[in-house]
Amino acid sequence: MGLLADVYEMLNTCNKCGSCHTACKTYKVDGAETRVARGRVQLIKAVADGNLDPNDPVYEDAIMSCLVCGECALACPSGVHANELVMVARRDLKLRKGIHPFAKSFALKTLADPQKLDRGFKLFRGMGKSTLEKIDGMEFFRGIDIKNMPVAKKAFLEQVPERITVAHPKHKVAFYVGCFLNQSLDGTAHSVVKVLTKNDSDVIIPKDQVCCGLPQYAYGDYETAKVNARKTIKTFLDNNRDAEVVLTACGSCASMLKEEYLKLFADEPAFLPKVKEFSDKVVEFSQYMAQIGVDKSQLHNSIPTKVTYHDPCHMVRGLHITEQPRQMLKILPRVEFVEMNEANRCCGASGLVQAFYHEISTKITREKTSNIKDTEADVVATTCPACMLRLQSGISLAGQDQKVMHVADLMAQAYQD
């Protein structure tokens, strides 16, 4: 039974009522029972009972196509967290099979290694992007707008000093940048720093940052995830103890650093106190700004803007942060905030799911972009870089003209230099 023995009771808790059908985005795409929480739970139970070969391609498709968005858990009257069961099943499958298929393994190894990731982005920003643009039909690769995908001319960590100080600091923040803000959305990383310094915060930006380990963790490679987690804890806790908080502007990274590290090291009780000490210092950007209070005296917007907000899965169901980003948007002058229908539903990104199950992701994103269009907003704000890239691609693919921005970008724009 392997690892599945640990969750066998929850597998048996599913009463097969089908309430999850109303919540599951992947099920709504094609109506396959193997792509809804109830079906996935039954397949995992079949493997646990020895009635299904874990190498069966139907089983692997079921657990790998899951968005792990957590929406099914909210809909389940029996309290089954199918998303957590899928995570255990992925880990169990990784231990049984040892390695992932080449493409997925290559992607996970690249993300885990900052040097490989940097080389990959340098290649992409050099000849890779222009080459793809010239290939017929490659404007939208697996639902991603290749032509307009932002790529930093130089990684953010190479652009800034390790410490940025203000004249009269009230706070000291260590900024965990994350892969996408570092390599793709560097402008947003600068926005974060600008908002922090405008609100009297010294900012520490350690140069030896690595991926938080979420991609590897999500696909059962706990060993690699632990290596990066240890590096992150050492960098931000041991080497920068003078920082009051460890701040990140990525909801997914925040969830991993604050919540999942504790689960990742659950089998190492001697190390857990340090993990908890670190996790207790982690705070998401909008949450922190709401916590310290924003200096509104310098805020100014010359152009009126209608803004809506998309809740990233890791923010709304992982960290339960929903009001703070909206609060930040509503304090901005000349910004009209309008709520989106199903703002808290998955946009279809879900890490590597969008790459390996792009047909599913594209249809889910289409629903989200339709909801965005209905708001008649000029800007879609969010707090997750992966969602930003996915949403902007979906909007472009739909022929719409909304701009996707991080909450930090809108706030920084409102501060006059």
Side-chain angles (χ1 to χ4, degrees), residues 189-211:
H190 282 292
S191 293
V192 171
V193 172
K194 181 177 181 180
V195 173
L196 289 172
T197 55
K198 288 289 186 181
N199 287 276
D200 305 314
S201 295
D202 283 347
V203 185
I204 304 168
I205 311 172
K207 298 290 187 178
D208 54 345
Q209 301 188 35
V210 296
C211 173

Side-chain angles (χ1 to χ4, degrees), residues 355-374:
F356 294 100
Y357 294 91
H358 61 97
E359 299 94 343
I360 295 174
S361 290
T362 299
K363 290 178 181 179
I364 294 171
T365 306
R366 193 176 297 142
E367 289 185 21
K368 178 65 72 169
T369 55
S370 177
N371 288 339
I372 290 169
K373 183 179 181 180
D374 290 343

